[in-house]
Amino acid sequence: MDLEFWLPLFFASVMGLALLIYVVLDGYDLGIGLLLPFATNSEKDTMIASIGPFWDANETWIVLGIGILLIAFPQAHGQILTAMYIPVTLMLMGLILRGIAFDFRAKAVARRKDMWNAIFAIGSLITAVAQGWMLGTYITGLGTSAVSFLFSVLIAITLPALYILLGSAWLLIKTEDALFDKALRWAQKSIVPMGIALLLVSVATPLVSQTIADKWFSFPEALKLLPIPLLSSAIFAGLLWLLYDQKAIRAGKEWLLYAGLVILCLLAALGLAYSILPDIIIGQLTIWESASSTSSLLFTFWGTAIVLPTILVYTFFVYRIFSGKTTALTYE
């Protein structure tokens, strides 16, 4: 076995998997943070309770992804974080605000609770926008041109829309009665803007990156890749039908919306992986050029072989234990 070839590919795959899981898991609790200002005080407590057992575990995945980038691809790590210094700093500030507000809202006197709720929402917005900015910068190969900046702004707008829809879908799974109905309305209002934004991003991506355009629009690769946009369109149409027909959602199949969004994210991740690989920085570095030495990767491999299944089992255990509808929030 050629470890020099396969180990960088393994770590690139694990890093991509970790970041994908982060988006679909932490995405919904960021979305709930974004929706918090539109709820009543009692609904806010229920919304916070619906993410309480999960949100710290959800953030573990981004730590794993960035940790692998640092250890397995140190050269790329340095270039990527240098180019993204501002959005990374903003993201960390947003995450800190969310963490502080989440704990302090439980201890605050009644007149201060609204302030901490607002800080939680602001932290969620800053985090979501910063992550979109980072993704846009990455797709353009860390470009600094005006076109690259505008594309990053476009992704920064798109990602919060996806998070809002994920948050609405999670509330459909976890809540009942008036908040369930409100979550359904939030999902109905957000799905079309999210779809339009994703379509614009899909059109703009090959325009800002010639490397990606060459991969997607050359023959016969274009035919092989056709299932990705076709499946994505079909799933999006199915989600629209689910939300506006409502029969399946109200008949106990509310999880279908979240499942469909997860599949959409998976298809987007597969398309992005095809667009980028074997580069880790588009047009600048491949995963093999950026990788640590084979001996270092082999040592790290055994640690990852222990940590990754542990996190997966823990995540499954937490979601299994706290499955079902959310009950009223109490701190007594």
PDB file of all heavy atoms in Angstrom, residues 201-233:
ATOM      1  N   VAL A 201     -25.565  30.885  -6.473  1.00  0.00           N
ATOM      2  CA  VAL A 201     -24.219  30.424  -6.117  1.00  0.00           C
ATOM      3  C   VAL A 201     -23.739  29.369  -7.108  1.00  0.00           C
ATOM      4  O   VAL A 201     -22.585  29.376  -7.548  1.00  0.00           O
ATOM      5  CB  VAL A 201     -24.205  29.871  -4.683  1.00  0.00           C
ATOM      6  CG1 VAL A 201     -22.897  29.138  -4.403  1.00  0.00           C
ATOM      7  CG2 VAL A 201     -24.400  30.997  -3.682  1.00  0.00           C
ATOM      8  N   SER A 202     -24.644  28.456  -7.489  1.00  0.00           N
ATOM      9  CA  SER A 202     -24.279  27.396  -8.435  1.00  0.00           C
ATOM     10  C   SER A 202     -23.888  27.980  -9.788  1.00  0.00           C
ATOM     11  O   SER A 202     -22.979  27.477 -10.449  1.00  0.00           O
ATOM     12  CB  SER A 202     -25.458  26.426  -8.609  1.00  0.00           C
ATOM     13  OG  SER A 202     -25.789  25.825  -7.379  1.00  0.00           O
ATOM     14  N   VAL A 203     -24.579  29.043 -10.200  1.00  0.00           N
ATOM     15  CA  VAL A 203     -24.257  29.690 -11.472  1.00  0.00           C
ATOM     16  C   VAL A 203     -22.960  30.478 -11.363  1.00  0.00           C
ATOM     17  O   VAL A 203     -22.130  30.481 -12.286  1.00  0.00           O
ATOM     18  CB  VAL A 203     -25.418  30.611 -11.910  1.00  0.00           C
ATOM     19  CG1 VAL A 203     -25.022  31.440 -13.122  1.00  0.00           C
ATOM     20  CG2 VAL A 203     -26.663  29.787 -12.215  1.00  0.00           C
ATOM     21  N   ALA A 204     -22.775  31.137 -10.227  1.00  0.00           N
ATOM     22  CA  ALA A 204     -21.611  32.024 -10.076  1.00  0.00           C
ATOM     23  C   ALA A 204     -20.313  31.264  -9.849  1.00  0.00           C
ATOM     24  O   ALA A 204     -19.241  31.728 -10.261  1.00  0.00           O
ATOM     25  CB  ALA A 204     -21.850  32.987  -8.912  1.00  0.00           C
ATOM     26  N   THR A 205     -20.397  30.082  -9.211  1.00  0.00           N
ATOM     27  CA  THR A 205     -19.177  29.351  -8.847  1.00  0.00           C
ATOM     28  C   THR A 205     -18.265  29.078 -10.041  1.00  0.00           C
ATOM     29  O   THR A 205     -17.073  29.390  -9.983  1.00  0.00           O
ATOM     30  CB  THR A 205     -19.527  28.042  -8.119  1.00  0.00           C
ATOM     31  OG1 THR A 205     -20.246  28.349  -6.921  1.00  0.00           O
ATOM     32  CG2 THR A 205     -18.261  27.276  -7.756  1.00  0.00           C
ATOM     33  N   PRO A 206     -18.756  28.502 -11.159  1.00  0.00           N
ATOM     34  CA  PRO A 206     -17.854  28.292 -12.288  1.00  0.00           C
ATOM     35  C   PRO A 206     -17.391  29.591 -12.949  1.00  0.00           C
ATOM     36  O   PRO A 206     -16.361  29.599 -13.634  1.00  0.00           O
ATOM     37  CB  PRO A 206     -18.692  27.439 -13.261  1.00  0.00           C
ATOM     38  CG  PRO A 206     -20.103  27.685 -12.882  1.00  0.00           C
ATOM     39  CD  PRO A 206     -20.086  27.921 -11.402  1.00  0.00           C
ATOM     40  N   LEU A 207     -18.140  30.670 -12.745  1.00  0.00           N
ATOM     41  CA  LEU A 207     -17.742  31.945 -13.330  1.00  0.00           C
ATOM     42  C   LEU A 207     -16.549  32.565 -12.602  1.00  0.00           C
ATOM     43  O   LEU A 207     -15.734  33.257 -13.219  1.00  0.00           O
ATOM     44  CB  LEU A 207     -18.921  32.932 -13.312  1.00  0.00           C
ATOM     45  CG  LEU A 207     -20.143  32.532 -14.151  1.00  0.00           C
ATOM     46  CD1 LEU A 207     -21.240  33.576 -14.009  1.00  0.00           C
ATOM     47  CD2 LEU A 207     -19.763  32.357 -15.625  1.00  0.00           C
ATOM     48  N   VAL A 208     -16.434  32.304 -11.309  1.00  0.00           N
ATOM     49  CA  VAL A 208     -15.336  32.898 -10.544  1.00  0.00           C
ATOM     50  C   VAL A 208     -14.127  31.986 -10.469  1.00  0.00           C
ATOM     51  O   VAL A 208     -13.062  32.400 -10.020  1.00  0.00           O
ATOM     52  CB  VAL A 208     -15.786  33.283  -9.110  1.00  0.00           C
ATOM     53  CG1 VAL A 208     -16.905  34.312  -9.158  1.00  0.00           C
ATOM     54  CG2 VAL A 208     -16.219  32.045  -8.330  1.00  0.00           C
ATOM     55  N   SER A 209     -14.288  30.728 -10.893  1.00  0.00           N
ATOM     56  CA  SER A 209     -13.172  29.782 -10.853  1.00  0.00           C
ATOM     57  C   SER A 209     -13.111  29.013 -12.167  1.00  0.00           C
ATOM     58  O   SER A 209     -13.971  28.172 -12.446  1.00  0.00           O
ATOM     59  CB  SER A 209     -13.323  28.800  -9.677  1.00  0.00           C
ATOM     60  OG  SER A 209     -12.306  27.815  -9.731  1.00  0.00           O
ATOM     61  N   GLN A 210     -12.096  29.297 -12.977  1.00  0.00           N
ATOM     62  CA  GLN A 210     -11.929  28.604 -14.242  1.00  0.00           C
ATOM     63  C   GLN A 210     -11.657  27.122 -14.027  1.00  0.00           C
ATOM     64  O   GLN A 210     -12.083  26.279 -14.820  1.00  0.00           O
ATOM     65  CB  GLN A 210     -10.785  29.240 -15.043  1.00  0.00           C
ATOM     66  CG  GLN A 210     -10.648  28.716 -16.468  1.00  0.00           C
ATOM     67  CD  GLN A 210     -11.904  28.945 -17.292  1.00  0.00           C
ATOM     68  OE1 GLN A 210     -12.508  30.008 -17.265  1.00  0.00           O
ATOM     69  NE2 GLN A 210     -12.340  27.904 -18.017  1.00  0.00           N
ATOM     70  N   THR A 211     -10.959  26.805 -12.940  1.00  0.00           N
ATOM     71  CA  THR A 211     -10.680  25.405 -12.623  1.00  0.00           C
ATOM     72  C   THR A 211     -11.972  24.616 -12.437  1.00  0.00           C
ATOM     73  O   THR A 211     -12.131  23.504 -12.968  1.00  0.00           O
ATOM     74  CB  THR A 211      -9.832  25.308 -11.344  1.00  0.00           C
ATOM     75  OG1 THR A 211      -8.614  26.023 -11.533  1.00  0.00           O
ATOM     76  CG2 THR A 211      -9.517  23.850 -11.014  1.00  0.00           C
ATOM     77  N   ILE A 212     -12.909  25.179 -11.698  1.00  0.00           N
ATOM     78  CA  ILE A 212     -14.189  24.516 -11.478  1.00  0.00           C
ATOM     79  C   ILE A 212     -14.996  24.459 -12.771  1.00  0.00           C
ATOM     80  O   ILE A 212     -15.621  23.435 -13.087  1.00  0.00           O
ATOM     81  CB  ILE A 212     -14.972  25.236 -10.363  1.00  0.00           C
ATOM     82  CG1 ILE A 212     -14.244  25.081  -9.021  1.00  0.00           C
ATOM     83  CG2 ILE A 212     -16.396  24.697 -10.259  1.00  0.00           C
ATOM     84  CD1 ILE A 212     -14.895  25.808  -7.868  1.00  0.00           C
ATOM     85  N   ALA A 213     -14.963  25.532 -13.544  1.00  0.00           N
ATOM     86  CA  ALA A 213     -15.689  25.545 -14.822  1.00  0.00           C
ATOM     87  C   ALA A 213     -15.187  24.458 -15.760  1.00  0.00           C
ATOM     88  O   ALA A 213     -15.975  23.770 -16.421  1.00  0.00           O
ATOM     89  CB  ALA A 213     -15.549  26.920 -15.474  1.00  0.00           C
ATOM     90  N   ASP A 214     -13.872  24.276 -15.815  1.00  0.00           N
ATOM     91  CA  ASP A 214     -13.298  23.249 -16.689  1.00  0.00           C
ATOM     92  C   ASP A 214     -13.744  21.855 -16.289  1.00  0.00           C
ATOM     93  O   ASP A 214     -13.962  20.983 -17.138  1.00  0.00           O
ATOM     94  CB  ASP A 214     -11.765  23.336 -16.662  1.00  0.00           C
ATOM     95  CG  ASP A 214     -11.239  24.603 -17.341  1.00  0.00           C
ATOM     96  OD1 ASP A 214     -12.000  25.207 -18.125  1.00  0.00           O
ATOM     97  OD2 ASP A 214     -10.086  24.984 -17.070  1.00  0.00           O
ATOM     98  N   LYS A 215     -13.879  21.628 -14.986  1.00  0.00           N
ATOM     99  CA  LYS A 215     -14.276  20.301 -14.516  1.00  0.00           C
ATOM    100  C   LYS A 215     -15.752  20.010 -14.789  1.00  0.00           C
ATOM    101  O   LYS A 215     -16.133  18.875 -15.078  1.00  0.00           O
ATOM    102  CB  LYS A 215     -14.001  20.165 -13.016  1.00  0.00           C
ATOM    103  CG  LYS A 215     -12.520  20.006 -12.678  1.00  0.00           C
ATOM    104  CD  LYS A 215     -12.358  19.619 -11.222  1.00  0.00           C
ATOM    105  CE  LYS A 215     -10.914  19.274 -10.903  1.00  0.00           C
ATOM    106  NZ  LYS A 215     -10.747  18.784  -9.527  1.00  0.00           N
ATOM    107  N   TRP A 216     -16.597  21.027 -14.686  1.00  0.00           N
ATOM    108  CA  TRP A 216     -18.029  20.805 -14.786  1.00  0.00           C
ATOM    109  C   TRP A 216     -18.557  20.862 -16.217  1.00  0.00           C
ATOM    110  O   TRP A 216     -19.589  20.272 -16.519  1.00  0.00           O
ATOM    111  CB  TRP A 216     -18.788  21.814 -13.932  1.00  0.00           C
ATOM    112  CG  TRP A 216     -18.811  21.426 -12.492  1.00  0.00           C
ATOM    113  CD1 TRP A 216     -17.857  21.677 -11.554  1.00  0.00           C
ATOM    114  CD2 TRP A 216     -19.832  20.685 -11.823  1.00  0.00           C
ATOM    115  NE1 TRP A 216     -18.210  21.146 -10.342  1.00  0.00           N
ATOM    116  CE2 TRP A 216     -19.423  20.536 -10.470  1.00  0.00           C
ATOM    117  CE3 TRP A 216     -21.050  20.144 -12.224  1.00  0.00           C
ATOM    118  CZ2 TRP A 216     -20.202  19.853  -9.529  1.00  0.00           C
ATOM    119  CZ3 TRP A 216     -21.822  19.469 -11.278  1.00  0.00           C
ATOM    120  CH2 TRP A 216     -21.405  19.330  -9.957  1.00  0.00           C
ATOM    121  N   PHE A 217     -17.879  21.583 -17.083  1.00  0.00           N
ATOM    122  CA  PHE A 217     -18.451  21.828 -18.409  1.00  0.00           C
ATOM    123  C   PHE A 217     -17.630  21.253 -19.562  1.00  0.00           C
ATOM    124  O   PHE A 217     -17.817  21.626 -20.699  1.00  0.00           O
ATOM    125  CB  PHE A 217     -18.662  23.330 -18.623  1.00  0.00           C
ATOM    126  CG  PHE A 217     -19.637  23.923 -17.644  1.00  0.00           C
ATOM    127  CD1 PHE A 217     -19.201  24.774 -16.639  1.00  0.00           C
ATOM    128  CD2 PHE A 217     -20.983  23.599 -17.700  1.00  0.00           C
ATOM    129  CE1 PHE A 217     -20.100  25.308 -15.720  1.00  0.00           C
ATOM    130  CE2 PHE A 217     -21.880  24.126 -16.786  1.00  0.00           C
ATOM    131  CZ  PHE A 217     -21.437  24.980 -15.795  1.00  0.00           C
ATOM    132  N   SER A 218     -16.723  20.340 -19.250  1.00  0.00           N
ATOM    133  CA  SER A 218     -16.004  19.628 -20.295  1.00  0.00           C
ATOM    134  C   SER A 218     -16.703  18.294 -20.558  1.00  0.00           C
ATOM    135  O   SER A 218     -17.349  17.742 -19.671  1.00  0.00           O
ATOM    136  CB  SER A 218     -14.542  19.401 -19.897  1.00  0.00           C
ATOM    137  OG  SER A 218     -14.467  18.682 -18.688  1.00  0.00           O
ATOM    138  N   PHE A 219     -16.582  17.793 -21.767  1.00  0.00           N
ATOM    139  CA  PHE A 219     -17.232  16.534 -22.147  1.00  0.00           C
ATOM    140  C   PHE A 219     -16.226  15.393 -22.025  1.00  0.00           C
ATOM    141  O   PHE A 219     -15.059  15.561 -22.391  1.00  0.00           O
ATOM    142  CB  PHE A 219     -17.740  16.654 -23.593  1.00  0.00           C
ATOM    143  CG  PHE A 219     -18.558  15.491 -24.031  1.00  0.00           C
ATOM    144  CD1 PHE A 219     -19.919  15.423 -23.741  1.00  0.00           C
ATOM    145  CD2 PHE A 219     -17.987  14.433 -24.732  1.00  0.00           C
ATOM    146  CE1 PHE A 219     -20.675  14.348 -24.139  1.00  0.00           C
ATOM    147  CE2 PHE A 219     -18.739  13.347 -25.127  1.00  0.00           C
ATOM    148  CZ  PHE A 219     -20.090  13.301 -24.830  1.00  0.00           C
ATOM    149  N   PRO A 220     -16.560  14.211 -21.472  1.00  0.00           N
ATOM    150  CA  PRO A 220     -17.917  13.760 -21.072  1.00  0.00           C
ATOM    151  C   PRO A 220     -18.211  13.958 -19.594  1.00  0.00           C
ATOM    152  O   PRO A 220     -19.206  13.443 -19.094  1.00  0.00           O
ATOM    153  CB  PRO A 220     -17.864  12.278 -21.420  1.00  0.00           C
ATOM    154  CG  PRO A 220     -16.446  11.886 -21.106  1.00  0.00           C
ATOM    155  CD  PRO A 220     -15.603  13.080 -21.466  1.00  0.00           C
ATOM    156  N   GLU A 221     -17.321  14.688 -18.860  1.00  0.00           N
ATOM    157  CA  GLU A 221     -17.524  14.860 -17.413  1.00  0.00           C
ATOM    158  C   GLU A 221     -18.877  15.489 -17.099  1.00  0.00           C
ATOM    159  O   GLU A 221     -19.520  15.147 -16.094  1.00  0.00           O
ATOM    160  CB  GLU A 221     -16.403  15.729 -16.831  1.00  0.00           C
ATOM    161  CG  GLU A 221     -15.088  15.002 -16.619  1.00  0.00           C
ATOM    162  CD  GLU A 221     -14.358  14.732 -17.916  1.00  0.00           C
ATOM    163  OE1 GLU A 221     -14.743  15.338 -18.936  1.00  0.00           O
ATOM    164  OE2 GLU A 221     -13.409  13.910 -17.918  1.00  0.00           O
ATOM    165  N   ALA A 222     -19.328  16.406 -17.960  1.00  0.00           N
ATOM    166  CA  ALA A 222     -20.605  17.078 -17.709  1.00  0.00           C
ATOM    167  C   ALA A 222     -21.756  16.079 -17.637  1.00  0.00           C
ATOM    168  O   ALA A 222     -22.667  16.221 -16.812  1.00  0.00           O
ATOM    169  CB  ALA A 222     -20.854  18.119 -18.792  1.00  0.00           C
ATOM    170  N   LEU A 223     -21.729  15.055 -18.477  1.00  0.00           N
ATOM    171  CA  LEU A 223     -22.776  14.042 -18.452  1.00  0.00           C
ATOM    172  C   LEU A 223     -22.713  13.207 -17.182  1.00  0.00           C
ATOM    173  O   LEU A 223     -23.744  12.848 -16.599  1.00  0.00           O
ATOM    174  CB  LEU A 223     -22.658  13.136 -19.680  1.00  0.00           C
ATOM    175  CG  LEU A 223     -22.987  13.780 -21.036  1.00  0.00           C
ATOM    176  CD1 LEU A 223     -22.768  12.778 -22.158  1.00  0.00           C
ATOM    177  CD2 LEU A 223     -24.420  14.298 -21.048  1.00  0.00           C
ATOM    178  N   LYS A 224     -21.503  12.891 -16.730  1.00  0.00           N
ATOM    179  CA  LYS A 224     -21.344  12.091 -15.527  1.00  0.00           C
ATOM    180  C   LYS A 224     -21.832  12.845 -14.292  1.00  0.00           C
ATOM    181  O   LYS A 224     -22.320  12.243 -13.333  1.00  0.00           O
ATOM    182  CB  LYS A 224     -19.876  11.706 -15.343  1.00  0.00           C
ATOM    183  CG  LYS A 224     -19.321  10.816 -16.457  1.00  0.00           C
ATOM    184  CD  LYS A 224     -17.831  10.556 -16.234  1.00  0.00           C
ATOM    185  CE  LYS A 224     -17.238   9.720 -17.363  1.00  0.00           C
ATOM    186  NZ  LYS A 224     -15.776   9.519 -17.194  1.00  0.00           N
ATOM    187  N   LEU A 225     -21.690  14.175 -14.319  1.00  0.00           N
ATOM    188  CA  LEU A 225     -22.059  14.988 -13.161  1.00  0.00           C
ATOM    189  C   LEU A 225     -23.515  15.428 -13.177  1.00  0.00           C
ATOM    190  O   LEU A 225     -24.007  15.989 -12.194  1.00  0.00           O
ATOM    191  CB  LEU A 225     -21.155  16.233 -13.107  1.00  0.00           C
ATOM    192  CG  LEU A 225     -19.682  15.963 -12.835  1.00  0.00           C
ATOM    193  CD1 LEU A 225     -18.860  17.215 -13.112  1.00  0.00           C
ATOM    194  CD2 LEU A 225     -19.465  15.510 -11.406  1.00  0.00           C
ATOM    195  N   LEU A 226     -24.203  15.166 -14.295  1.00  0.00           N
ATOM    196  CA  LEU A 226     -25.584  15.627 -14.439  1.00  0.00           C
ATOM    197  C   LEU A 226     -26.503  15.154 -13.312  1.00  0.00           C
ATOM    198  O   LEU A 226     -27.412  15.891 -12.913  1.00  0.00           O
ATOM    199  CB  LEU A 226     -26.130  15.174 -15.794  1.00  0.00           C
ATOM    200  CG  LEU A 226     -27.423  15.843 -16.279  1.00  0.00           C
ATOM    201  CD1 LEU A 226     -27.237  17.361 -16.348  1.00  0.00           C
ATOM    202  CD2 LEU A 226     -27.826  15.278 -17.637  1.00  0.00           C
ATOM    203  N   PRO A 227     -26.320  13.931 -12.759  1.00  0.00           N
ATOM    204  CA  PRO A 227     -27.208  13.504 -11.658  1.00  0.00           C
ATOM    205  C   PRO A 227     -27.202  14.443 -10.453  1.00  0.00           C
ATOM    206  O   PRO A 227     -28.218  14.542  -9.753  1.00  0.00           O
ATOM    207  CB  PRO A 227     -26.656  12.130 -11.283  1.00  0.00           C
ATOM    208  CG  PRO A 227     -26.031  11.613 -12.534  1.00  0.00           C
ATOM    209  CD  PRO A 227     -25.454  12.835 -13.211  1.00  0.00           C
ATOM    210  N   ILE A 228     -26.090  15.143 -10.184  1.00  0.00           N
ATOM    211  CA  ILE A 228     -26.046  16.016  -9.004  1.00  0.00           C
ATOM    212  C   ILE A 228     -27.040  17.165  -9.121  1.00  0.00           C
ATOM    213  O   ILE A 228     -27.895  17.347  -8.228  1.00  0.00           O
ATOM    214  CB  ILE A 228     -24.617  16.523  -8.744  1.00  0.00           C
ATOM    215  CG1 ILE A 228     -23.724  15.354  -8.315  1.00  0.00           C
ATOM    216  CG2 ILE A 228     -24.611  17.617  -7.673  1.00  0.00           C
ATOM    217  CD1 ILE A 228     -22.282  15.737  -8.046  1.00  0.00           C
ATOM    218  N   PRO A 229     -27.008  17.986 -10.194  1.00  0.00           N
ATOM    219  CA  PRO A 229     -28.022  19.052 -10.280  1.00  0.00           C
ATOM    220  C   PRO A 229     -29.433  18.532 -10.466  1.00  0.00           C
ATOM    221  O   PRO A 229     -30.390  19.128  -9.944  1.00  0.00           O
ATOM    222  CB  PRO A 229     -27.566  19.876 -11.491  1.00  0.00           C
ATOM    223  CG  PRO A 229     -26.666  18.989 -12.272  1.00  0.00           C
ATOM    224  CD  PRO A 229     -26.003  18.106 -11.266  1.00  0.00           C
ATOM    225  N   LEU A 230     -29.599  17.394 -11.168  1.00  0.00           N
ATOM    226  CA  LEU A 230     -30.942  16.849 -11.364  1.00  0.00           C
ATOM    227  C   LEU A 230     -31.539  16.364 -10.043  1.00  0.00           C
ATOM    228  O   LEU A 230     -32.705  16.649  -9.728  1.00  0.00           O
ATOM    229  CB  LEU A 230     -30.904  15.704 -12.371  1.00  0.00           C
ATOM    230  CG  LEU A 230     -30.639  16.091 -13.834  1.00  0.00           C
ATOM    231  CD1 LEU A 230     -30.623  14.861 -14.727  1.00  0.00           C
ATOM    232  CD2 LEU A 230     -31.679  17.094 -14.332  1.00  0.00           C
ATOM    233  N   LEU A 231     -30.739  15.625  -9.259  1.00  0.00           N
ATOM    234  CA  LEU A 231     -31.211  15.151  -7.957  1.00  0.00           C
ATOM    235  C   LEU A 231     -31.490  16.326  -7.015  1.00  0.00           C
ATOM    236  O   LEU A 231     -32.486  16.323  -6.280  1.00  0.00           O
ATOM    237  CB  LEU A 231     -30.185  14.217  -7.334  1.00  0.00           C
ATOM    238  CG  LEU A 231     -30.192  12.758  -7.813  1.00  0.00           C
ATOM    239  CD1 LEU A 231     -29.017  12.009  -7.217  1.00  0.00           C
ATOM    240  CD2 LEU A 231     -31.503  12.084  -7.427  1.00  0.00           C
ATOM    241  N   SER A 232     -30.616  17.321  -7.041  1.00  0.00           N
ATOM    242  CA  SER A 232     -30.806  18.490  -6.180  1.00  0.00           C
ATOM    243  C   SER A 232     -32.108  19.206  -6.518  1.00  0.00           C
ATOM    244  O   SER A 232     -32.870  19.597  -5.618  1.00  0.00           O
ATOM    245  CB  SER A 232     -29.626  19.455  -6.335  1.00  0.00           C
ATOM    246  OG  SER A 232     -28.420  18.848  -5.927  1.00  0.00           O
ATOM    247  N   SER A 233     -32.382  19.357  -7.797  1.00  0.00           N
ATOM    248  CA  SER A 233     -33.624  20.020  -8.221  1.00  0.00           C
ATOM    249  C   SER A 233     -34.845  19.212  -7.809  1.00  0.00           C
ATOM    250  O   SER A 233     -35.849  19.771  -7.343  1.00  0.00           O
ATOM    251  CB  SER A 233     -33.621  20.219  -9.742  1.00  0.00           C
ATOM    252  OG  SER A 233     -32.529  21.023 -10.150  1.00  0.00           O
TER     253      SER A 233
END
